Each structure stands twice: as structure tokens, then as C-alpha cells.
Amino acid sequence: MGLKFTSRQREGWRLLVSPRKTRILFDGGSRSGKTALIAEYLIRRALQYPGSRQLAARKYRAHVKTSLWNDTLKSYISRHLPPGICRFQESELAILFPNGSSICAGGLDDAERTEKILGNEYITVFLNEATQLSFPTMQMAMTRLAQRVRDRKGRFAVPKLILDCNPRGPRHWLHAVGVRHVDPDTGEALADAARWARLNWSAYDNKENLPEEYLYALESLPEVMRERMLNGVWRGNEGAVYSEFDEDVHVVEPFEIPATWKRLRSIDFGYTNPFVCLWGALDPDGRLYLYREHYKAGVRAAEHAEIILKLSGGERFSVTVADHDAGERAELESRGLPTEPAMKNVARGIQCVKNRLAVCPDGHPRLYFFRTLRNLLSEIYDYRWLPAQDGGNAKEEPFKENDHAMDALRYMVAAVDCADRKEFRSVSAPVLRNERW
């Protein structure tokens, strides 16, 4: 029964079972084996301590159900444990054991749900993808490590807080707490610093269990994403044009766009370089969701028009804005895809996007991206300012390389926020009149 440990997992296990280390961070690359090891530990704790409770939580309950519950806990148990060793209570996302122990999975994105989850006491709290959570949330979860239970030999369980994550920037609170063991607000050493332990992971640590194609995909990511997702490096996005972009904040799982939402498209022409079309929709509160992309090189405008119309199906669009190439626009129109010229002021367009990426007082930004927009999201990480020259300002102009989806993104946001368009005025930011297109 149980997982066949890799070398890195054996190191991790020694930390998990150490009575001296009660706050443990596993940070590192995607599918590096860290979460599977934690699943094994939660199960063994449940079996060792009758009547014990283990909590496995992350920020969003939707992610708990699809990832932590189905892909991690249930999948792990079905592959590594004999039938009948536990039962699943789907409605409560709970795993129940005959000895009275349980593993409860939950999301912390709702006040009532959080109050219910943290109303119990546990011997183990596991915070999955902890970079999505706030420092106060972690502190609150730690207070719930108060359950007192014994094993069959009469030994009390040692309360354990376990966190895992894919790294973000080194200014994140979790880097301060889990890596440097200092208070993120004061920079002073944590009072319980001696009880913290950290193990860094790379996807290469789990190479024996991963397809070559998966590692190749990670190796092919943009630099910042590759360092984080493959090598497990806490890497900042220095020099990024859209430094406000945070995948945990701005990227959402795909959903069906309501028919009542206003829709628009934006196009950046290309042949040798990729031709890009983006689809966006505005919700009733004026938040813009990018939900579809067409990104392809080496194809003429007529074929792109057919693809765009097919992907658009029966959707209705308030406007389709495009780069100013008159010949390309005429070709699209002849194929049933009329366009309007996009606002081309780069500095103004970038500022429009940055304004929407900023988190508002209500805790939400005004720009979201579906997780399926692979090319657009890749370009965001690579979109950087030109370095300073001769003592000048380093942030005057972005690199003009691998930025085709970024151009289309600017066109779309500017069409909503920087143009005198009455069809968007009721749901957009204040209109800036007399903009030169």
C-alpha cells in the first residue's frame, strides 16, 4: 500500500514525520511529486490517529472539487489503497475512515463556508496552492490545529501545518514566511522560526513518473513561467509591462458567456508573424473577460475570416476592431467580417490595460482571461519594456517581439475604455473623448 517514493519524496517524508518541524512548505515545479506525498501523509495520519481530522483546503472551492478532491485525493486513494479502506462523502467533500478519522476538503472563498470549515479543530491542516491565500488566512488556519488525539500506543498527535505551491515572485508573503522565516510585514524573524521547514522541488525530481512530452512542454514555456513551473524558482516579473498581472487573480476557468453580455472582437494582422483574433465580453458590472483566441501564422486573411466566423457561431458582436491595414480589412469585409480601425496609441492602450488589471476596492480587477488562452497568457509573461539607454527612462516602449496578442489585447481594451462608443458606455470606464484613432 502507498506511494513508491522518489528521492525527493523521501526527503520530504523525513520532514513531514519530524516532531520538531510543525510548519512545512513544499514549494516547486508543476507535477514534481509534492502534492502526492502530502496526500499519502494525510491518509497515514488519519489511519494512525483514530478520530482525527485532517483539513485539505485551497482558496476556491471550484478548484478544490476539480483538482484537490478529484485529481489528487480520490485519484490517489483509488490507485494506492485497497478497496473499502474509506468511503467518500461527495456532498461534503469528506473522506471517512472506519476508525472515526476524516479528511475534509474545502474552499476558503466564501465567508460562511470558511467559518464552517475553520469551526472544527484538526491535527493536520494542508493548504494547497498557498500563494493564492492571504497571510491572515494562513494564520487563522493555524489556530485550528488544536485537536488532541492519541494513537494506539497512547502518543499524542503532533499538530502539523503543511503548505504547497508553485512559486511566484520573491516579494510574496509566502516566500517571506516559508522560505526566509520572517514576518512579511516587519521583516523580523518569526517567533516559531525553528519549527519551520522548507523543501524546494523541481519537475525533474519526478522525472521517472512524467511523460517526456510533459517535461518538454514545461521546458518550452516563457522564461519566467519556465523558472517557476519547471525549476521551482521564486522568480519576479522584473521589467514586465503588465507587472499587475497575477495568474491567481486574473485567470479563470472557462464558463459559458451569458447571451446578454456585450461582446467584441479585436484583430492584429500577420502572415509571417501570427494573425491574432481575440474574443471578449463585458459583464453587467463592466468587467471584461477574454474568452477565446485565434492565433495562427502563414494563412491569408480570407481563411482567417472563415475560421473567425465559424468560431463565433451565432454570437452577436457590438464591434470588431482591427489593425489599420486597409487591404486586409477590405478582405475580411468581403468575407462577411466588417471591422473598424483600432486605437493605435501604444502608451494609451497599455495604460488602459494596466488600469483594468488593477484590483479595485471591491477586491476584484476589471479584466479576466480564460485559462485556455495559451498564446495570450504566454505573451503576457514575455511582454517587457525596452531597457534604459543613455540614462533614459526604461519604461517608454515595450519590446516589439512576440507581442501580437498583446497588440490585439490593447485594441480590445481601448475599444471599450478609450473610445467614444455609446454601445459600451453604460458598462465601461469613463469615456475619454476626442481620442485620435
Side-chain angles (χ1 to χ4, degrees):
M1 180 183 79
L3 182 70
K4 181 181 178 182
F5 289 170
T6 64
S7 174
R8 183 64 72 178
Q9 286 172 330
R10 286 194 292 272
E11 290 183 58
W13 189 259
R14 286 193 289 271
L15 290 178
L16 290 172
V17 300
S18 169
R20 295 185 299 277
K21 301 300 180 183
T22 59
R23 286 91 166 89
I24 299 165
L25 171 65
F26 288 167
D27 59 303
S30 176
R31 294 185 63 184
S32 52
K34 54 188 182 296
T35 308
L37 181 68
I38 295 169
E40 171 79 13
Y41 183 68
L42 294 176
I43 293 163
R44 291 200 190 185
R45 293 269 278 181
L47 294 172
Q48 180 181 357
Y49 295 100
S52 65
R53 289 184 292 272
Q54 342 295 317
L55 172 64
R58 61 183 296 174
K59 182 173 183 178
Y60 299 106
R61 191 179 191 276
H63 295 172
V64 171
K65 186 70 181 292
T66 57
S67 177
L68 189 55
W69 178 252
N70 287 327
D71 295 344
T72 299
L73 293 171
K74 289 184 66 178
S75 175
Y76 187 87
I77 288 172
S78 66
R79 285 185 287 116
H80 297 290
L81 271 67
I85 199 169
C86 62
R87 63 185 178 89
F88 301 105
Q89 194 174 67
E90 293 283 347
S91 61
E92 298 295 324
L93 299 185
I95 302 169
L96 307 178
F97 296 83
N99 67 356
S101 293
S102 62
I103 300 173
C104 174
L108 303 176
D109 55 342
D110 175 86
E112 184 176 343
R113 188 182 302 124
T114 300
E115 184 177 350
K116 179 180 179 182
I117 291 171
L118 297 183
N120 285 319
E121 295 179 343
Y122 304 91
I123 65 165
T124 321
V125 171
F126 166 41
L127 301 180
N128 179 232
E129 292 300 338
T131 49
Q132 297 179 355
L133 300 169
S134 67
F135 182 44
T137 297
M138 186 207 74
Q139 292 175 305
M140 177 61 71
M142 288 172 60
T143 67
R144 310 320 299 153
L145 286 167
Q147 190 184 18
R148 298 275 287 173
V149 292
R150 303 172 188 254
D151 66 11
R152 291 177 179 83
K153 295 182 179 180
R155 297 170 298 193
F156 280 105
V158 176
K160 294 271 186 170
L161 172 72
I162 307 166
L163 309 100
D164 79 353
C165 70
N166 299 130
R168 291 291 185 261
R171 295 184 180 181
H172 196 283
W173 70 263
L174 187 55
H175 186 271
V177 172
V179 178
R180 293 184 283 127
H181 309 326
V182 299
D183 187 287
D185 298 321
T186 67
E188 298 179 357
L190 295 173
D192 59 352
R195 301 169 69 184
W196 278 89
R198 175 247 183 161
L199 186 63
N200 183 246
W201 304 60
S202 163
Y204 291 124
D205 292 326
N206 199 31
K207 187 175 182 179
E208 60 200 75
N209 297 314
L210 295 176
E212 289 185 14
E213 294 80 4
Y214 184 76
L215 287 172
Y216 176 76
L218 293 180
E219 291 166 347
S220 302
L221 289 171
E223 181 184 357
V224 174
M225 291 180 68
R226 182 174 66 250
E227 287 288 271
R228 293 174 177 175
M229 303 301 290
L230 175 65
N231 298 318
V233 176
W234 291 81
R235 172 73 182 272
N237 210 11
E238 296 85 0
V241 172
Y242 298 129
S243 56
E244 301 85 356
F245 174 76
D246 184 337
E247 191 169 343
D248 292 334
V249 174
H250 299 101
V251 178
V252 299
E253 297 300 325
F255 59 88
E256 185 175 350
I257 301 293
T260 55
W261 289 15
K262 290 183 170 66
R263 304 178 193 230
L264 66 160
R265 295 175 295 212
S266 61
I267 293 172
D268 184 62
F269 293 119
Y271 183 80
T272 302
N273 293 317
F275 174 110
V276 180
C277 180
L278 300 177
W279 284 255
L282 285 157
D283 75 7
D285 294 320
R287 297 188 179 95
L288 177 60
Y289 289 79
L290 278 291
Y291 65 93
R292 185 184 297 138
E293 68 177 8
H294 168 59
Y295 191 100
K296 191 171 184 178
V299 174
R300 298 196 178 277
E303 185 173 338
H304 288 301
E306 293 179 10
I307 294 171
I308 293 168
L309 292 172
K310 182 177 180 180
L311 290 174
S312 298
E315 298 170 341
R316 300 182 63 181
F317 297 88
S318 297
V319 68
T320 300
V321 293
D323 203 349
H324 289 194
D325 188 295
E328 297 275 17
R329 290 183 58 225
E331 181 67 24
L332 292 182
E333 185 159 8
S334 71
R335 302 286 174 164
L337 186 59
T339 64
E340 295 186 19
M343 193 275 284
K344 295 278 286 181
N345 185 312
V346 176
R348 176 60 63 82
I350 286 174
Q351 191 57 53
C352 285
V353 176
K354 291 172 78 68
N355 289 344
R356 279 192 168 266
L357 288 171
V359 176
C360 299
D362 64 2
H364 301 283
R366 300 178 67 250
L367 181 60
Y368 291 95
F369 307 91
F370 276 20
R371 191 174 297 280
T372 47
L373 306 182
R374 181 176 62 85
N375 296 290
L376 188 153
L377 294 175
S378 175
E379 283 195 13
I380 286 181
Y381 279 101
D382 278 341
Y383 198 42
R384 297 181 174 276
W385 298 109
L386 285 169
Q389 306 223 346
D390 300 326
N393 187 349
K395 294 193 174 183
E396 290 181 350
E397 184 180 350
F399 276 106
K400 283 301 295 176
E401 184 178 345
N402 299 323
D403 62 348
H404 314 292
M406 294 297 93
D407 288 345
L409 174 62
R410 283 193 291 105
Y411 301 159
M412 178 174 292
V413 175
V416 177
D417 292 344
C418 297
D420 190 5
R421 295 188 181 282
K422 63 182 180 181
E423 63 265 35
F424 296 133
R425 202 169 302 153
S426 62
V427 293
S428 67
V431 172
L432 302 177
R433 298 185 182 279
N434 301 318
E435 178 64 46
R436 295 188 64 186
W437 285 54

